[in-house]
Amino acid sequence: MTGSDTPSSFRLAYVPGVTPAKWVRVWHERLPGTPLELVQVPPADAGRLLADGGAEAGLVRLPVDRDVLSAIPLYTETTVVVIPKDHTATAAEEVTLPDLADEIVLHPLDDVLDWETLPGRPAIERPATTADAIELVAAGVGVLLVPQSLARLHHRKDLTYRPVPEAPESRVALSWPQEEPTPDLVEEFIGIVRGRTVNSTRGRAAQQPTAKEKAKRSGTGTATGSGRKPAVGKQPGKQSGTGRRAGAPKGGKTAGKRGKPRGR
């Protein structure tokens, strides 16, 4: 799809934990005639969905295949450990990896953290999903390390979480298939995510300034900018020393009345 082949709608994929609501709201304000369709996708499937054309762009977790997809990193998430509310670790504001040495640390198959060595003791079996692992934490089987957004997504009243600064972190990015040129609607969404104004020169064509705005920007003002000449005899910034009206003749007579000529 080229930049001129603009589709009638825009499909945006997103992985669990990512909340695209603020960007979708701006989209609807700027492009009310172009529907935006949200497509939720598991993290492991996001890259393939984009490469196959299942969505025009996606809010995904890095890494992605840079030979196929372009990506703009957006933010990095804090990693937290999900624990029961009566766990001893709740007494601390943060938890270190050595603090988890004696814990069973659950490692779901859809884990999005890049571990070299998982802390703690491994479980007998890996849970299929993060949601399954949360259920096991609630049952007192072990603890779970996840990005903070996933801890919030799977919130339960009997569970809480604490930051783990030493743990690997997850980075969220806006990604789309590599094409030249980038499709117009993808450029639009890139601009929204990056905070460009509606009149940005990228994305849609910027609105042209009026003649009055051009004159104001150039510092000429509206009087000289419109081609008018200053009034003859008036010098800006120079004041009359006698206090009479500038340009009036001596003796208080106006320029419009002339006396009789003297006889010779």
Side-chain angles (χ1 to χ4, degrees), residues 60-64 66 71-74 112 169-173 175:
V60 304
R61 295 187 185 277
L62 295 176
V64 297
R66 291 303 185 103
I72 300 173
L74 300 179
V112 297
E169 297 174 317
S170 174
R171 292 189 298 158
V172 174
S175 184

Side-chain angles (χ1 to χ4, degrees), residues 104-120:
I104 294 177
V105 177
L106 302 168
H107 190 206
L109 296 175
D110 64 353
D111 184 22
V112 297
L113 300 175
D114 186 17
W115 292 100
E116 291 186 3
T117 303
L118 198 69

Side-chain angles (χ1 to χ4, degrees), residues 134-179:
I134 291 288
E135 294 294 331
L136 292 174
V137 174
V141 174
V143 300
L144 175 66
L145 289 142
V146 291
Q148 185 170 320
S149 66
L150 289 179
R152 290 173 175 171
L153 178 66
H154 297 288
H155 171 71
R156 290 176 52 119
K157 292 182 178 180
D158 53 348
L159 299 179
T160 187
Y161 58 83
R162 292 291 185 271
V164 186
E166 300 167 310
E169 297 174 317
S170 174
R171 292 189 298 158
V172 174
L174 174 64
S175 184
W176 65 95
Q178 289 188 6
E179 293 186 42

Side-chain angles (χ1 to χ4, degrees), residues 15-251:
V15 296
V18 176
T19 53
K22 61 180 179 180
W23 297 312
V24 172
R25 183 172 59 252
V26 177
W27 177 278
H28 290 319
E29 291 172 354
R30 294 189 184 180
L31 292 90
T34 305
L36 187 152
E37 177 186 354
L38 290 174
V39 181
Q40 190 175 62
V41 59
D45 298 337
R48 183 168 61 252
L49 178 78
L50 293 173
D52 293 344
E56 277 69 54
L59 297 166
V60 304
R61 295 187 185 277
L62 295 176
V64 297
D65 186 353
R66 291 303 185 103
D67 292 333
V68 179
L69 303 174
S70 299
I72 300 173
L74 300 179
Y75 57 89
T76 300
E77 286 199 71
T78 299
T79 298
V80 301
V81 58
V82 181
I83 51 179
K85 279 194 171 180
D86 59 356
H87 195 284
T88 56
T90 58
E93 293 184 358
E94 295 181 345
V95 175
T96 66
L97 293 180
D99 291 338
L100 303 175
D102 295 329
E103 299 284 348
I104 294 177
V105 177
L106 302 168
H107 190 206
L109 296 175
D110 64 353
D111 184 22
V112 297
L113 300 175
D114 186 17
W115 292 100
E116 291 186 3
T117 303
L118 198 69
R121 297 182 293 139
I124 297 175
E125 188 176 348
R126 292 183 67 181
T129 66
T130 297
D132 293 336
I134 291 288
E135 294 294 331
L136 292 174
V137 174
V141 174
V143 300
L144 175 66
L145 289 142
V146 291
Q148 185 170 320
S149 66
L150 289 179
R152 290 173 175 171
L153 178 66
H154 297 288
H155 171 71
R156 290 176 52 119
K157 292 182 178 180
D158 53 348
L159 299 179
T160 187
Y161 58 83
R162 292 291 185 271
V164 186
E166 300 167 310
E169 297 174 317
S170 174
R171 292 189 298 158
V172 174
L174 174 64
S175 184
W176 65 95
Q178 289 188 6
E179 293 186 42
E180 290 295 342
T182 303
D184 292 341
L185 291 184
V186 175
E187 279 287 3
E188 286 289 349
F189 198 78
I190 292 172
I192 289 172
V193 168
R194 283 184 160 176
R196 295 180 195 147
T197 64
V198 69
N199 286 336
S200 170
T201 55
R202 300 187 66 177
R204 283 185 297 170
Q207 296 179 3
Q208 296 300 317
T210 64
K212 184 176 181 179
E213 289 172 336
K214 288 181 179 179
K216 186 175 181 180
R217 291 176 186 175
S218 65
T220 59
T222 56
T224 58
S226 60
R228 295 180 183 176
K229 295 181 179 180
V232 177
K234 292 186 178 181
Q235 300 181 19
K238 188 174 183 180
Q239 300 292 330
S240 173
T242 60
R244 63 177 181 272
R245 189 173 69 251
K250 294 181 180 180

